[in-house]
Every structure is written in C-alpha cells, then in structure tokens.
Amino acid sequence: MDDPQTWVHYGAIDPELAEIFRQDNTPKFAKDNKISSIPTTRTAWNPIYKELAANALANAQKNGVKGQEIYIPRRDGSLARCLLYQPEQSPPSASPLVVFFHGGGFCFGCPEMESINCINVVQTYRAVAISVEYRLSPESRFPGAIHDSWDALHWIAENASQLSSDPSTGFIIGGTSAGGNISAVVSHLARDEKLSPALTGVYLNIPTVLAPEVVPEKYRSMYLSRQQNKDAPVLTKANMDMYKEAYAPDPRSELWSPFNWPSGHAKLPPHYLQVCGLDLLRDEALIYERVLRRDYNIPTKVDIYPGLPHVFYANFPQHSRSKEYAKDTTQGIGWLLEAQRLSDQ
C-alpha cells in the first residue's frame, strides 16, 4: 500500500466476483443514470433498507439493543429523522458515542442504511449509535447535505449526556461513500469550530474526498482509479456524472474536496478507512490516508478489498468477503476507540 505504483493492481477483478458475473448476476441495487428516475429508485430501494434494518433490530433486541426514531432540529427549523440505538440496560462503564452518515451519492438512501453498523457497535462496545438523515438531491443541492449533517452533529454533541453517552470515552463519526465525504468535511468543521466535546475518531468507508478537477499536481500520478475503474461495476463514471449533476457541487470548495482543506489536516483525530480496489474512488482515499499519516502524523488503519467494487457487500451479498465487511467495520471502530484510550493515558 505504501507504494502508489502498486495501487493499480488492486483494480484486477476478484476471481470470485468474476464467477458471479459469469452466472449473469447483476448488482442488487442497479440503477440508471437519469435524474428523473431518482424518485422511482428511492421508492424501490428504501423499503429494502427499512426491512433489513427492522429485521436486524428485532434480532438485536434479544441481545439487549433498543432502537428508536429521534428528530433533530436544523438551522432552518426543519427536523431530521434520525435513528438512535442504545444498550437496553445501562452498561457498567460509560458509553462512547458513534454517529453515522449514510451513502447514496447524495441522491438516494436513508438512515436505515447504517442500522447494522449502529447495532454492531452497540452490541460490541456498549456504545450509543446514531444514524443521521440529511436532505437529498436534486431537491437539496450542495452544500445542503453538509449543512444538515453539521447541524445534526452539533445538536448531538450538545445533547450527548441526554443520549446516555459519554463522548470522553469516544466520539466517532463515519460514513459510506457520500457519507464518507460528509464525515471528512464535518471532521474539519468540528476541528475548526472547536466542537465540544471534540471528536476522537473518523471512519471513512469508500469516500469521495478529492474531485478530479482539483487534484494537486504532485498527486496526479497517483490518481488513476477514476480512469482505470470508470466502467467498473456498481459505480461508474456515468453514475458519478449523474450524482454531480443532481448535487451540483463546486469542485473548488473544501466542502466537496476536503483533501484541499485550506488550513490543512493537522490535529484531526485517528482515521479508519475501508477502500475497494475496483472502485472509481480508490485512489483519492489512499492518497488522503497517505497524507494524513505521512504529512500530519495522524494514526490511520486501512482495510483494502482488492478486485472488489464500490459497496460490493450490499450489491453482491453472496460474495464470501461481503459477510466479513461489517465485521471489519466493527473492528475498525474498535481500533478508533482503542486509539482514543491510548491517547488518554
């Protein structure tokens, strides 16, 4: 991983995935690239997410996890529907706080997409976990998702004790794809705005953090996956173009490309990243991790999935590594919590 020249090899298709394609299996969450189709796609997908979340919670309730909807105010007076997961019984030690932002290209998705991760961290670490809703595009364009997510995080920080959590034992944010972008941006806002309590860890799952229009010259030779994987399964260049048209971000803004944050990345908390080798977004995540670790001495942990595409675990659940992905996520959150504990000693 330390040699960027080897990163292209991560893009060689995984043999098991190739066999799945030979059997004519298509991604579970296939879509077209028309903005006009977004409402219909949401209508088709959201019930699937909600059923999976309801089933996961029903099983988790047998093991001491409770879940409920909460409504968090935003700056314009509207309310964000969020999902709160907590231990049924108060644990003997304080509960850390973990906040998730779902993926979906800023156009699709709902808080239920992160329910399994929420439940896993509650069961494993007796944490309090929240999955945040933000308004979607094209109805809410850039930087609406960032504003909604920052408002939610600010409220969560102010009300952490009322949520039965103690962020001094761990305060982690994270997300998938678009949610990874949100998490990277919000982590910088939290640092610059001196959010209290402060974040102790950041989880970035297949994030977009650096638009191709604004890649610094010194990193262009490393930034190859946008071209190498432009026709990869699940997330293609055509998909990204549709998402960008709907969300309408400014590529020059740090709220879209947090890699280029004007004040840099010093004093950010430890980061855990998950990166897929056959993913359009692979190299920007690897470059970002490299800069955090080498230039800013920020502790990082990375799990790489060679030959597998963006959100492969949801689209190809029959793949053997799909079952490992959620376990890796939970262990990565545990690493962030341990990094916090060691820094306090």
Side-chain angles (χ1 to χ4, degrees):
M1 188 185 77
D2 249 349
D3 182 1
Q5 293 184 358
T6 67
W7 294 354
V8 294
H9 300 307
Y10 294 138
I13 190 167
D14 171 81
E16 185 180 344
L17 180 65
E19 180 59 30
I20 289 172
F21 283 129
R22 278 193 289 271
Q23 297 172 11
D24 295 325
N25 282 289
T26 57
K28 183 175 181 179
F29 293 96
K31 59 186 177 301
D32 64 31
N33 296 313
K34 299 176 182 176
I35 292 178
S36 61
S37 299
I38 289 174
T40 302
T41 304
R42 288 178 192 160
T43 300
W45 286 1
N46 281 6
I48 299 174
Y49 301 137
K50 292 183 178 182
E51 181 180 6
L52 290 171
N55 291 339
L57 180 58
N59 290 328
Q61 286 172 331
K62 303 171 187 175
N63 296 307
V65 178
K66 62 181 179 180
Q68 62 178 305
E69 292 182 353
I70 61 172
Y71 291 84
I72 294 177
R74 303 182 181 115
R75 65 187 67 186
D76 64 0
S78 64
L79 297 175
R81 171 187 164 270
C82 303
L83 302 179
L84 171 66
Y85 295 88
Q86 300 165 298
E88 186 71 48
Q89 303 293 331
S90 298
S93 58
S95 291
L97 180 58
V98 185
V99 180
F100 291 98
F101 302 97
H102 67 79
F106 300 94
C107 297
F108 306 110
C110 56
E112 281 80 2
M113 291 175 70
E114 291 291 344
S115 288
I116 290 176
N117 285 333
C118 287
I119 289 167
N120 285 345
V121 300
V122 175
Q123 288 182 319
T124 306
Y125 306 115
R126 311 307 291 165
V128 170
I130 301 174
S131 183
V132 171
E133 177 190 66
Y134 53 90
R135 284 171 286 195
L136 301 174
S137 300
E139 297 88 346
S140 176
R141 294 182 181 269
F142 174 84
I146 298 299
H147 290 164
D148 286 355
S149 300
W150 173 242
D151 291 349
L153 184 65
H154 199 273
W155 184 92
I156 290 166
E158 287 185 338
N159 292 275
S161 61
Q162 284 70 37
L163 299 170
S164 301
S165 70
D166 182 357
S168 70
T169 63
F171 189 5
I172 295 167
I173 62 169
T176 295
S177 193
N181 173 272
I182 290 169
S183 299
V185 170
V186 168
S187 70
H188 288 83
L189 292 175
R191 180 201 62 185
D192 293 353
E193 299 294 328
K194 295 181 171 52
L195 182 73
S196 181
L199 298 178
T200 66
V202 179
Y203 159 55
L204 303 180
N205 178 26
I206 49 177
T208 176
V209 293
L210 179 59
E213 300 94 330
V214 293
V215 178
E217 179 65 34
K218 67 183 293 187
Y219 300 112
R220 288 181 185 172
S221 64
M222 306 179 193
Y223 191 91
L224 303 178
S225 58
R226 290 272 184 154
Q227 177 63 31
Q228 182 191 18
N229 297 328
K230 63 184 176 63
D231 298 316
V234 183
L235 182 65
T236 65
K237 181 181 183 299
N239 297 147
M240 283 294 295
D241 289 345
M242 184 271 285
Y243 291 145
K244 287 175 63 177
E245 182 181 354
Y247 189 44
D250 176 359
R252 298 164 298 177
S253 171
E254 65 271 21
L255 301 184
W256 177 240
S257 295
F259 182 91
N260 290 332
W261 201 267
S263 57
H265 312 301
K267 298 184 180 180
L268 289 177
H271 278 57
Y272 167 57
L273 295 90
Q274 287 174 299
V275 181
C276 293
L278 192 58
D279 187 0
L280 199 75
L281 307 179
R282 179 194 69 215
D283 290 347
E284 58 204 86
L286 293 176
I287 295 169
Y288 187 47
E289 184 277 335
R290 181 183 177 90
V291 168
L292 292 177
R293 174 170 47 87
R294 293 165 64 109
D295 296 356
Y296 291 92
N297 295 312
I298 293 170
T300 64
K301 173 180 170 62
V302 185
D303 281 325
I304 300 177
Y305 303 86
L308 294 173
H310 200 77
V311 288
F312 71 90
Y313 49 92
N315 284 280
F316 305 102
Q318 68 271 46
H319 194 285
S320 60
R321 296 213 67 181
S322 294
K323 297 179 177 62
E324 300 173 14
Y325 207 84
K327 293 180 182 177
D328 292 345
T329 303
T330 304
Q331 291 172 359
I333 298 294
W335 178 84
L336 290 172
L337 292 171
E338 179 66 10
Q340 159 68 9
R341 187 185 69 80
L342 292 175
S343 70
D344 289 341
Q345 290 182 348

